[in-house]
Amino acid sequence: MMEREDGTPHFHRLTSVESWSSDLSSDSCEYYQTEIFGLLPSSQAHRRLHTETITDDQDQSLLDRVSWNPSVPLRDLPVCLQVKRGIRERQPLQRRSIGYWDSWRRSQQKTRQRLKEHVGGALSGLLPWRHMLLKIEGQFGVGVKAYFIFLRYLLCLNLLYCVIIAGSVLIPTLVFAQDSRTHSSVGFQNFSFKDFFVGSGVLESSPVFHSFYTRGYLDLDCLNTPILFFLGMISVLFLSIILVVRRTVVGYKHSWLTGNRFSSNLSYKVFCGWDFCIQSPQAASLKQNFIRNELRMDLEEQTFQQRVQQRSLKHWVQLIFLRILLNFLVLVLLGSSFVLIYFAIQRSRVKCENHWTVCLFLEYLPPIAMTTVNYILPHVFSKISEFEDYSLTIQLNLTLIRSIFLKLASLGIYLFFFINALASQDQYKHHQCKENAFGKEMYKLTIFNLVECFFNAFCVAYPRMLLVKKFSSSKLMQLLGKKQFEISFNVLDLVNSQTVTWVGVFYCPLLPAINTVRLLLLFYVKKFTVVRCCVPPQRMFRTASSSVLFHFMLLLGLFMAVVTLVVNINRFDPAGCGPFEGNGNVLNVTRECINTLPDPVKTTLSYISSEAFAFALILAEVVILTSYVSRRRANRKAIERLKDMLVMCSSDKRFLVKQHSTIMRRQQRPR
């Protein structure tokens, strides 16, 4: 801080780029020569921690790296406006000092970066329901919006599956069909209402199920219907693994950066959170609601942290004992639900000779039992988590973990008993095609999920809203009130339905298309339920860690689908129907193709499938993971240093404000 000739104080801004070090420039050299620079808290901490200073050459190299970095736009540099102007003036001189090739390469890099930004902005503009999601975010918070974004992600994922299956499975089978009478429509004269829900009749011989896809005229060694079918399904599973793992890792990185050590700046949200480009009153109202929801969320987290710090040892002992009892109660409820599902499966396997409605009810008895259990117990788990005295985010995650274990375990029990029943020829002699029988079960689960969604929206939520609105003075209706949109339970339904799609896509190839239609209808039904039948949640939560948990649960469902597919391939005899008819094993179709390849190609494929290549691959993965762990540790240290920088910068600002106030008071004193 310097004083001009007229007596007014003159301040120069300190520009920091590396930890405690600062870049020297012609504008800030006078600042470093003043006495006040040595009094700054950051300078004193720098002397205590670092005894060696950075030389002028190192400072100049740091300035060069900041001033000329083609990958970072000038507006994104962490320096003040005066330094940016100096950088812009020096850039032509630096362009002259470099070669023609480097200049062309840097200009092309800038062009590619700008093109990537424009393409990304254009693609983001093509995403459906953007304005609708902004409205939902303003009225109900970020958590409800995260659910609809997750639903949109699954919808796009299933659309991608439809493109892959149509190109590799459906179109080749329709074009090269050997017998058009087999694949043509049998006619809807005998089509009944029951056939749509069960998947029997004309649907059983349609492209919906496994038996429709036969070899046909496309019967080359390495290009035939079985190979295309196998490659299409493997592509769907591998693509699912890549996309879900990538989404989970990206979300975890963001969650770790804004985790428990992340402290929100309330003053920034109050004074700098408004968007002055807003012109319409409706957008202004949405922005106000969004800022209010964020402030509520931050204040609730701070209140909970203060309450945790005030707990005594006696309170901690009582709380731990209570949590143990509640977890034991959760285990009892989970065991009881599994027993109920088992008895429902046993009852549905009894041969029905009654009216078709009774038989349809018995066939849907396991899905009804699973849906009933999955609807009631998550609400019980939510109430139990409230007594465990966790933060709202931990309560949500704990309820999600318990509920997803319930849903996946119930689905696993259902698949286990059904696969064992299909493997027994004595119990299921009437099933001519086991693959079709398994696909029908996944088809029934998907249809029943759609029916349950419509029933819950128009027969439960909407009548409840009408009753509360009409009898608003009634104490019972006031106690009942409008329902709140339960984010965790609705996300669990999405994960469960997507797991069913992954499990049954091999035996019901059009199941992703059915699930796409279901998700499209589900979006508008849920939007109607949220806007018309629900009230904004009374408590807010951060979606960073919960979004990671959403995708992690999706990854568990995908793992369950892969395990089920491997078990079915080993237990089912593929000689009955479908594209693998006549082969002893599904993998035999690839062996026939490999035997016709040249010797070098066969040698290469043999090495890739050997243990030596697997060992080399594992070793390479270990090296890559080690490098990433090292980078993670280095980034963690850099983040800690940057956080310390922010703290010291705040101390410097307070110190400078104090000094400025002192100088102004001295100037105002009468001489």
Side-chain angles (χ1 to χ4, degrees), residues 71-330:
S71 62
V72 179
L74 189 61
R75 65 177 181 272
D76 294 339
L77 291 178
V79 292
C80 62
L81 184 60
Q82 188 175 3
V83 177
K84 290 181 179 179
R85 291 173 180 172
I87 293 173
R88 180 178 295 175
E89 293 175 357
R90 289 192 298 270
Q91 280 182 355
L93 299 176
Q94 292 180 351
R95 290 192 183 98
R96 297 175 185 175
S97 62
I98 63 176
Y100 174 78
W101 172 254
D102 291 336
S103 177
W104 179 83
R105 181 174 55 83
R106 291 175 179 179
S107 63
Q108 292 298 317
Q109 186 176 3
K110 286 184 178 180
T111 303
R112 288 194 301 268
Q113 184 177 2
R114 291 173 182 173
L115 180 62
K116 182 179 179 181
E117 291 178 356
H118 290 306
V119 172
L123 291 178
S124 62
L126 294 176
L127 289 176
W129 308 313
R130 289 185 62 197
H131 300 287
M132 193 181 300
L133 292 180
L134 290 176
K135 181 180 178 181
I136 292 174
E137 180 183 9
Q139 294 181 355
F140 297 92
V142 188
V144 180
K145 178 189 175 183
Y147 164 78
F148 284 96
I149 291 177
F150 187 64
L151 192 152
R152 184 178 63 183
Y153 170 72
L154 293 181
L155 178 63
C156 296
L157 203 63
N158 283 273
L159 282 174
L160 185 59
Y161 297 159
C162 293
V163 173
I164 295 175
I165 293 175
S168 62
V169 178
L170 182 61
I171 295 178
T173 305
L174 292 175
V175 172
F176 298 98
Q178 189 172 9
D179 189 1
S180 60
R181 292 176 300 175
T182 304
H183 297 153
S184 61
S185 177
V186 179
F188 290 90
Q189 292 83 5
N190 298 326
F191 184 76
S192 63
F193 186 73
K194 178 183 176 183
D195 294 336
F196 173 76
F197 286 95
V198 180
S200 59
V202 65
L203 291 179
E204 191 170 2
S205 59
S206 66
V208 176
F209 293 109
H210 186 85
S211 61
F212 176 83
Y213 303 91
T214 57
R215 279 184 174 267
Y217 291 108
L218 187 62
D219 197 10
L220 302 177
D221 292 330
C222 291
L223 185 61
N224 50 55
T225 303
I227 289 182
L228 292 177
F229 189 93
F230 182 74
L231 292 179
M233 298 305 166
I234 294 299
S235 300
V236 167
L237 294 178
F238 269 102
L239 185 64
S240 303
I241 293 173
I242 293 173
L243 294 178
V244 175
V245 169
R246 179 184 177 277
R247 190 107 173 182
T248 306
V249 170
V250 171
Y252 174 76
K253 181 173 64 174
H254 177 72
S255 175
W256 185 82
L257 290 176
T258 59
N260 295 327
R261 296 176 294 173
F262 175 77
S263 59
S264 58
N265 193 346
L266 297 180
S267 61
Y268 171 78
K269 294 180 180 179
V270 172
F271 295 104
C272 304
W274 186 256
D275 186 4
F276 290 93
C277 297
I278 294 177
Q279 297 180 359
S280 63
Q282 184 179 5
S285 177
L286 292 177
K287 188 65 177 179
Q288 290 175 357
N289 293 333
F290 176 71
I291 296 175
R292 182 176 66 251
N293 291 336
E294 281 195 337
L295 293 177
R296 286 177 55 194
M297 179 173 56
D298 295 335
L299 293 176
E300 284 186 359
E301 289 186 355
Q302 292 181 7
T303 304
F304 177 77
Q305 294 298 331
Q306 292 177 359
R307 191 169 70 249
V308 170
Q309 294 176 359
Q310 295 175 357
R311 289 175 182 171
S312 61
L313 179 61
K314 179 181 178 181
H315 191 189
W316 274 111
V317 173
Q318 294 176 353
L319 186 59
I320 292 174
F321 182 73
L322 178 62
R323 289 175 180 176
I324 293 174
L325 291 179
L326 293 177
N327 282 280
F328 179 75
L329 177 62
V330 169

Side-chain angles (χ1 to χ4, degrees), residues 24-69:
L24 295 176
S25 63
S26 60
D27 298 327
S28 59
C29 285
E30 297 179 359
Y31 180 79
Y32 290 101
Q33 296 172 0
T34 57
E35 182 181 358
I36 196 173
F37 176 72
L39 300 177
L40 290 176
S42 59
S43 300
Q44 296 177 0
H46 177 63
R47 292 195 192 97
R48 290 194 301 267
L49 296 177
H50 303 279
T51 58
E52 297 181 357
T53 59
I54 301 177
T55 61
D56 295 338
D57 295 336
Q58 291 173 336
D59 290 334
Q60 186 63 33
S61 64
L62 289 173
L63 181 59
D64 294 337
R65 287 200 299 269
V66 173
S67 61
W68 182 250
N69 189 358

